[in-house]
Amino acid sequence: MASISAYDSSSISTLFSSLNGSSKQGGTDLLGINYSDYASIRSGSYGKLMRSYYSLQSGDDSTKASAVKKTTGLSSDSTKTLANIEDAAQSLTDTARELYTRQNNSVFVKDAKGNYDSDQIYDKVSDFVEDYNSLLSATAKSDASRIQNALSSMKNMTKVNEDALSAIGISVDSKNGTLSIDKNAFQSADMAKVKSLFNGTGSYGYSVATQASMIDSYAQSEAAKSNTYGQNGKYTYNYNSGNIFQDDF
């Protein structure tokens, strides 16, 4: 008996085409092909995938680019945008945690004389302001609704606490919502008021950390949508770092 290599593409195509109308749905042919299995494969998702794949291969470059764009465009944001959002959100979450924690190493622990270290507190709050503004800048480029909703909630919390923030030397820009801190005004403020704003689970600082953490989570979810198969049939993964990782499937 001739080997399978003896068949060319046209003979194989003719053979498969004849199977479609065969009444021997439960039998096999000389090649050992089960008709019912073939019918399931041809009409199932695998058959659809193959037709789509060979249609793509036979198209021109513009058609291929369009198909790949549709495959990878499941997220409304680019991988770079999402990576920047994740980094900024994580930084703000970590910075806020250093302020709201009530552990023994808390920045609001008083010294032996019962005084706060205003310089250390200023440094931590200044970092908070910087990271807050960085997150606002990163998320401004996002079109993802969940990210924007969490951002709006965070900005609303800041708006609600605007007067209290102003009392310790932190102002809120009325146009873009960014924060700015006056060092002299801050260090002259009552550190107890600063503590009430940033320390503890019911504080403004904790609320901001919660929303920043949610933004981080949403950005990761959006980034996961970009995991797909590229034009060359390899798996592309653009998570967090913004670099493209490829691995054979």
Side-chain angles (χ1 to χ4, degrees), residues 15 19 22-38:
L15 173 63
L19 293 178
S22 174
S23 61
K24 301 178 182 179
Q25 292 297 317
T28 60
D29 70 354
L30 293 177
L31 296 178
I33 298 175
N34 184 285
Y35 300 138
S36 60
D37 289 345
Y38 169 72

Side-chain angles (χ1 to χ4, degrees), residues 16-206:
F16 273 27
S17 297
S18 65
L19 293 178
N20 186 41
S22 174
S23 61
K24 301 178 182 179
Q25 292 297 317
T28 60
D29 70 354
L30 293 177
L31 296 178
I33 298 175
N34 184 285
Y35 300 138
S36 60
D37 289 345
Y38 169 72
S40 297
I41 291 173
R42 183 175 184 181
S43 61
S45 58
Y46 180 79
K48 294 178 181 178
L49 176 62
M50 288 298 97
R51 285 192 291 274
S52 176
Y53 173 78
Y54 285 107
S55 174
L56 175 61
Q57 294 304 308
S58 62
D60 57 22
D61 291 340
S62 62
T63 302
K64 295 178 182 179
S66 177
V68 172
K69 183 177 181 181
K70 289 180 180 178
T71 302
T72 59
L74 298 177
S75 174
S76 55
D77 295 334
S78 69
T79 299
K80 182 178 180 179
T81 294
L82 294 170
N84 290 337
I85 292 174
E86 286 185 58
D87 290 341
Q90 186 61 61
S91 293
L92 179 56
T93 301
D94 293 341
T95 301
R97 184 182 295 112
E98 293 184 24
L99 290 168
Y100 73 68
T101 182
R102 286 187 170 176
Q103 299 176 357
N104 292 333
N105 61 344
S106 170
V107 68
F108 291 103
V109 172
K110 295 180 179 180
D111 60 21
K113 296 181 179 179
N115 298 319
Y116 292 108
D117 185 340
S118 60
D119 289 332
Q120 183 183 17
I121 295 173
Y122 169 78
D123 289 341
K124 295 297 183 182
V125 174
S126 181
D127 289 341
F128 174 92
V129 168
E130 181 178 353
D131 289 341
Y132 182 97
N133 292 340
S134 294
L135 182 55
L136 259 60
S137 177
T139 52
K141 300 177 182 180
S142 173
D143 292 323
S145 59
R146 292 190 300 175
I147 291 176
Q148 289 301 321
N149 289 339
L151 175 64
S152 295
S153 295
M154 189 178 76
K155 293 173 73 172
N156 287 338
M157 292 173 186
T158 299
K159 187 67 177 178
V160 169
N161 289 277
E162 185 171 5
D163 291 341
L165 290 168
S166 179
I168 63 172
I170 299 176
S171 57
V172 183
D173 190 283
S174 59
K175 294 182 179 180
N176 56 30
T178 57
L179 303 178
S180 59
I181 184 169
D182 184 310
K183 184 175 182 178
N184 292 331
F186 182 88
Q187 293 186 318
S188 299
D190 184 351
M191 288 298 111
K193 291 183 178 181
V194 177
K195 181 179 179 180
S196 66
L197 267 173
F198 290 98
N199 193 235
T201 56
S203 67
Y204 162 71
Y206 181 82

